[in-house]
Amino acid sequence: GNLPLFDQDDISFQQGFGFQIRPKIDLSATETIGQRSIAPNDLTIGSSSDQTYFGGGFQAEGEFTDRLIGEASFGIQRSTLSSSSESFTAPVVGVSVEYLMRRDISADLSYAILCGVMNSDSVESESSQLVNFSVRHAEIHLGLLDTSRWLP
């Protein structure tokens, strides 16, 4: 089948604070505000509307060993479409594990539940699951491998 493609632009601002509760465990809280613009490349999938979003959440990061770092986050995001006054609220969840293969190369595996708009004519929230695996080189800030998969 055909895969409908679209262009997405995000502009956001995030602020927060954090503190260390144990020598290798950090907690933080953040709030985010932003705007997302989606433009379909295929006219058969319809039009889209800009979306303004506001959210907040909590994050915990821990260092399990010298080479293994983990992170978990939970938050809420409220979104409003520019084409209507309706809005929706949905959870945003993430878990990731990073393994330092060498001093300058790391591998990261992450899972996230994200929220979005399913239909631009009426507000229907849709939660999407995303799994991402990447390998990065720290000194030259280069992604050696980055692959993502949306789950049904």
Side-chain angles (χ1 to χ4, degrees):
N2 292 338
L3 178 65
L5 301 176
F6 58 89
D7 296 325
Q8 177 174 318
D9 295 320
D10 271 304
I11 298 173
S12 64
F13 170 76
Q14 185 176 51
Q15 66 180 6
F17 64 91
F19 55 95
Q20 189 174 45
I21 62 169
R22 298 189 106 175
K24 295 188 176 188
I25 299 175
D26 296 325
L27 290 180
S28 61
T30 59
E31 71 175 353
T32 304
I33 187 167
Q35 183 166 1
R36 177 174 297 127
S37 176
I38 299 174
N41 292 330
D42 184 352
L43 297 177
T44 62
I45 62 173
S47 63
S48 184
S49 178
D50 290 347
Q51 176 183 348
T52 301
Y53 55 92
F54 173 79
F58 298 96
Q59 178 177 343
E61 183 177 316
E63 187 177 319
F64 304 117
T65 69
D66 290 343
R67 295 180 171 259
L68 189 62
I69 299 168
E71 184 178 295
S73 60
F74 175 79
I76 298 291
Q77 180 174 308
R78 182 167 184 81
S79 299
T80 305
L81 291 174
S82 62
S83 62
S84 71
S85 60
E86 296 181 71
S87 62
F88 66 91
T89 303
V92 179
V93 178
V95 177
S96 71
V97 176
E98 181 179 8
Y99 179 70
L100 304 172
M101 299 184 318
R102 294 190 344 206
R103 183 179 59 82
D104 55 351
I105 296 180
S106 64
D108 181 72
L109 178 64
S110 62
Y111 170 79
I113 299 175
L114 309 168
C115 65
V117 177
M118 191 171 171
N119 185 337
S120 63
D121 298 328
S122 63
V123 176
E124 297 177 38
S125 67
E126 175 187 74
S127 291
S128 300
Q129 300 178 67
L130 176 68
V131 174
N132 184 307
F133 176 73
S134 63
V135 177
R136 294 176 306 205
H137 192 285
E139 290 179 9
I140 57 176
H141 303 289
L142 176 67
L144 303 174
L145 171 70
D146 194 358
T147 182
S148 297
R149 170 92 176 146
W150 290 100
L151 302 176

